[in-house]
Amino acid sequence: MRLILLALLLCVNVFAQELKLLECNKKNYPDMELGIQGRNPKFMDAKDLKITENNKDVSTFELIPERRDNKYKRAVLILFENSNPEMFTPQRKYFKAMLLKTLSESFSPQDVIYFTEFDWVDRKSGKTVTGEMIKNGNAAEIAQLVSAITQPPSNGTQLSLKGQTCLARAVDDGLEFLGSEKLDTTYCKSILLLSGASNDNINSNVDITALVLKARKKNIAINAVDYPRMAALYNTIQLCNETFGRQFRSDNRDVDKYTDSLKAIIKDLSLMASGSYYTLKYKTEVGPGNVAVSLKLGNKTGNESSTLNYNTPSYPAWIFSSVVRILVLVLILGLIIGLAVFFVNKNRKKQQLAKAETEKKLSEIEENNRRAEEENKKNLREQEEKFRRENEAQLVRQQQEKEKQLRKDKDNESLARLQGRNRIPTLVDMSGNVYNLAALVTKIGRIDGNDLVIQDNTVSKNHAVIMYERESPEAIPVACNEFFIVDLGSSNGTLINNMPISGVQKLRDGDIIRFGNISASFRS
């Protein structure tokens, strides 16, 4: 099984994961330009490449490396090896000091930082690092966790498990955790391993190949800063190199040198995640018409390969991309249209002769029909107009009769209410003369024809009207058992309690009404 994994790793050594097609420029088809992103941060060399298009070799192509400023944010899991009590003081204090110096300077607020310590494998869970042990926060919060690191107890709780290396298990646990974190595509994921690894041969029980394949599958680069220690059974050089991370190791205890190395690693985390960019130029032999193209990039010295897929331009896009093709198309269309016009005109002339004779006969028939129809319409309009006038006259008469009957009924009802009062309302002038207001409408003025005639030059011919349950002589009564007075535009006006009236005004018992110089008291 290990040999199979190693073979797989060797097959993807150059191309890492499949190359990603970012853009496809078909403007100058059949000259193609493909924008490509590769996971490996190291640029490929065109002279080492073999390219096939739909299984046919491409002999001439150009691979142009590009330098792009990536906009990735960083998601970093820091794995801090908390060594055994005897090793902690002389070794881990350097990592601790180095990390505290680096955190605030190397990370921005938009970065996501995770931190955990690891030691030995837990007997129950089989893990070195569990999810609940991993803390996350900003640089200041992670710095607090780092500063709180203390020497582990020497009480025999650490387990020396034969056949199990804790560093490899910690990295595997870290890959599982970081790979499952749901972050948007602007974040690049990396593991920063701070451990006491060495350059010794890899322990046979540590499957570096499996770790590398998992890291590549999850697109996670592994970076390490190692400090040598006695009896080390593993290294991080291959692990970092094969996952496109960086590894630093020193034989001295210079904290500043470690710090500079760590800063350099953190600075390049985004580059390690974004990989390299290329523009591939070549002339395709696949015809237009939205045909699928499978472009395979491989290594001449091996069988590593990656496939890019795109479609050739559609026929309309291909035709309109060339002035010559547009002119040819215009000529062909012009010829087709010209022939069509010729035959259409010839046939149309023949049809026009037959059509003219037919139209002449139809025109005569239509004219006769039109005249008959107009005569019928004229007679119908006259009948409709006569019926409308008769109907409108009848409706007017009916409405007048209804209004007349309604007025009569309302007048009778109002008169009944007036006669049913305890006493008949009156006007009493200053001489003691009493005038009954027994009518629904009492007209007051100087001349005959008024219901109440006042012989005084200050009183107008038609001076005022006193009404019962209505506000104008012509109005339909409204049951309210009230009297109203209205001036009829008299010369000297009508006053109630020495106040000129304006419009219709309600009368109250005891009101003094003045018509010119004549005053009378209203008694209801």
Side-chain angles (χ1 to χ4, degrees):
M1 181 63 184
R2 182 171 179 178
L3 291 176
I4 295 174
L5 292 174
L6 183 58
L8 290 173
L9 181 60
L10 291 175
C11 288
V12 295
N13 188 37
V14 174
F15 290 87
Q17 295 175 350
E18 288 189 0
L19 294 175
K20 181 179 180 181
L21 180 62
L22 300 179
E23 55 193 357
C24 181
N25 186 353
K26 309 173 187 178
K27 183 178 180 180
N28 297 319
Y29 174 89
D31 293 326
M32 303 297 299
E33 289 188 10
L34 307 180
I36 303 171
Q37 179 185 14
R39 174 67 180 84
N40 194 330
K42 297 179 181 179
F43 282 114
M44 293 184 290
D45 194 335
K47 68 175 184 285
D48 296 328
L49 291 181
K50 177 183 179 182
I51 299 180
T52 61
E53 181 185 62
N54 289 353
N55 297 321
K56 185 177 181 180
D57 289 344
V58 176
S59 58
T60 304
F61 62 88
E62 185 179 4
L63 186 69
I64 304 172
E66 298 181 19
R67 292 290 181 183
R68 297 194 185 183
D69 295 330
N70 62 72
K71 299 180 180 179
Y72 284 95
K73 294 175 282 188
R74 294 169 294 188
V76 183
L77 171 60
I78 301 173
L79 293 177
F80 185 96
E81 182 182 7
N82 195 345
S83 181
N84 60 65
E86 292 75 14
M87 297 294 181
F88 185 85
T89 300
Q91 296 183 1
R92 293 303 176 262
K93 69 177 183 179
Y94 300 103
F95 281 138
K96 184 174 174 180
M98 173 186 62
L99 196 55
L100 289 173
K101 283 187 175 183
T102 308
L103 282 171
S104 59
E105 299 179 24
S106 302
F107 291 102
S108 65
Q110 66 180 358
D111 295 325
V112 178
I113 311 174
Y114 305 93
F115 175 82
T116 188
E117 301 175 58
F118 70 91
D119 205 334
W120 302 102
V121 175
D122 182 84
R123 283 184 180 275
K124 293 182 179 179
S125 67
K127 291 181 175 293
T128 300
V129 176
T130 56
E132 58 270 16
M133 292 172 56
I134 299 175
K135 311 299 180 183
N136 71 296
N138 56 38
E141 292 168 336
I142 298 301
Q144 291 178 1
L145 294 174
V146 174
S147 63
I149 295 174
T150 59
Q151 182 170 324
S154 56
N155 55 9
T157 58
Q158 296 175 355
L159 305 176
S160 177
L161 300 181
K162 184 177 180 181
Q164 176 65 59
T165 301
C166 302
L167 180 142
R169 189 66 203 183
V171 172
D172 188 69
D173 294 342
L175 289 173
E176 290 294 332
F177 167 79
L178 200 55
S180 64
E181 284 294 276
K182 298 186 182 303
L183 300 172
D184 63 54
T185 55
T186 61
Y187 280 93
C188 65
K189 297 180 180 181
S190 303
I191 288 178
L192 180 57
L193 179 64
L194 305 179
S195 72
S198 75
N199 279 328
D200 296 339
N201 293 329
I202 299 175
N203 185 288
S204 60
N205 293 305
V206 180
D207 202 337
I208 295 296
T209 303
L211 287 179
V212 170
L213 288 175
K214 180 177 287 189
R216 290 184 177 180
K217 182 178 180 181
K218 297 179 181 295
N219 201 26
I220 299 174
I222 300 174
N223 304 272
V225 177
D226 298 345
Y227 191 93
R229 68 186 181 104
M230 295 177 60
L233 297 177
Y234 42 78
N235 72 21
T236 56
I237 295 175
Q238 181 185 353
L239 186 62
C240 295
N241 289 344
E242 298 295 349
T243 59
F244 309 113
R246 289 190 176 184
Q247 187 265 4
F248 174 76
R249 179 173 180 273
S250 177
D251 291 327
N252 59 53
R253 298 181 180 182
D254 187 344
V255 174
D256 291 334
K257 189 172 183 179
Y258 272 115
T259 301
D260 293 339
S261 301
L262 184 56
K263 288 180 181 178
I265 288 176
I266 294 173
K267 180 181 178 181
D268 289 342
L269 289 181
S270 296
L271 174 63
M272 296 303 176
S274 61
S276 302
Y277 297 89
Y278 309 86
T279 297
L280 174 63
K281 295 183 178 182
Y282 81 103
K283 183 184 293 290
T284 180
E285 295 185 3
V286 180
N290 206 28
V291 180
V293 177
S294 177
L295 196 67
K296 184 176 291 186
L297 283 70
N299 193 301
K300 291 180 180 179
T301 60
N303 55 0
E304 312 93 334
S305 65
S306 185
T307 301
L308 305 176
N309 298 312
Y310 70 90
N311 288 357
T312 60
S314 62
Y315 279 109
W318 173 66
I319 290 172
F320 287 103
S321 66
S322 169
V323 175
V324 175
R325 286 193 288 271
I326 293 175
L327 292 175
V328 171
L329 178 63
V330 170
L331 289 174
I332 294 173
L333 291 177
L335 180 60
I336 294 173
I337 293 172
L339 291 173
V341 170
F342 171 78
F343 287 110
V344 168
N345 287 337
K346 184 178 180 180
N347 187 51
R348 184 174 59 184
K349 289 179 180 179
K350 185 185 293 185
Q351 292 176 347
Q352 283 176 345
L353 295 174
K355 184 178 178 182
E357 185 66 26
T358 303
E359 287 179 348
K360 182 179 179 181
K361 294 179 180 179
L362 290 176
S363 179
E364 293 175 356
I365 296 172
E366 289 176 356
E367 180 63 22
N368 295 332
N369 291 338
R370 184 185 63 78
R371 290 176 181 175
E373 185 178 357
E374 286 181 354
E375 186 67 25
N376 292 335
K377 286 182 178 179
K378 181 180 178 182
N379 295 335
L380 181 62
R381 283 195 298 269
E382 291 176 352
Q383 293 177 3
E384 289 177 347
E385 181 63 22
K386 180 180 179 181
F387 176 77
R388 183 186 65 78
R389 288 196 297 269
E390 293 175 351
N391 190 45
E392 286 181 352
Q394 183 178 1
L395 290 175
V396 169
R397 288 194 298 273
Q398 291 176 351
Q399 183 65 25
Q400 290 174 345
E401 290 295 327
K402 288 182 180 179
E403 291 179 355
K404 183 177 180 181
Q405 184 62 41
L406 176 64
R407 180 182 295 278
K408 183 177 180 181
D409 294 342
K410 291 294 183 180
D411 283 346
N412 291 336
E413 293 173 3
S414 183
L415 184 61
R417 284 191 293 273
L418 178 60
Q419 294 173 350
R421 293 171 62 95
N422 293 331
R423 64 177 182 176
I424 299 299
T426 61
L427 285 176
V428 181
D429 63 14
M430 303 305 294
S431 300
N433 296 319
V434 178
Y435 304 97
N436 291 333
L437 300 175
L440 296 176
V441 177
T442 302
K443 298 179 181 179
I444 302 169
R446 192 178 72 241
I447 64 174
D448 293 340
N450 288 295
D451 300 310
L452 176 57
V453 178
I454 302 175
Q455 298 292 338
D456 191 277
N457 291 333
T458 62
V459 178
S460 296
K461 293 179 181 181
N462 298 296
H463 196 103
V465 178
I466 295 177
M467 302 159 290
Y468 178 66
E469 293 190 336
R470 71 193 72 200
E471 295 186 0
S472 71
E474 299 80 12
I476 296 175
V478 178
C480 62
N481 200 23
E482 299 284 353
F483 279 87
F484 300 88
I485 186 170
V486 63
D487 187 82
L488 298 178
S490 63
S491 300
N492 296 315
T494 303
L495 286 75
I496 297 179
N497 300 327
N498 293 323
M499 296 296 293
I501 66 174
S502 176
V504 179
Q505 188 165 330
K506 184 188 295 185
L507 290 174
R508 294 178 175 80
D509 186 48
D511 282 346
I512 302 300
I513 306 173
R514 183 175 175 181
F515 307 100
N517 292 333
I518 304 301
S519 296
S521 174
F522 174 72
R523 294 287 184 268
S524 62

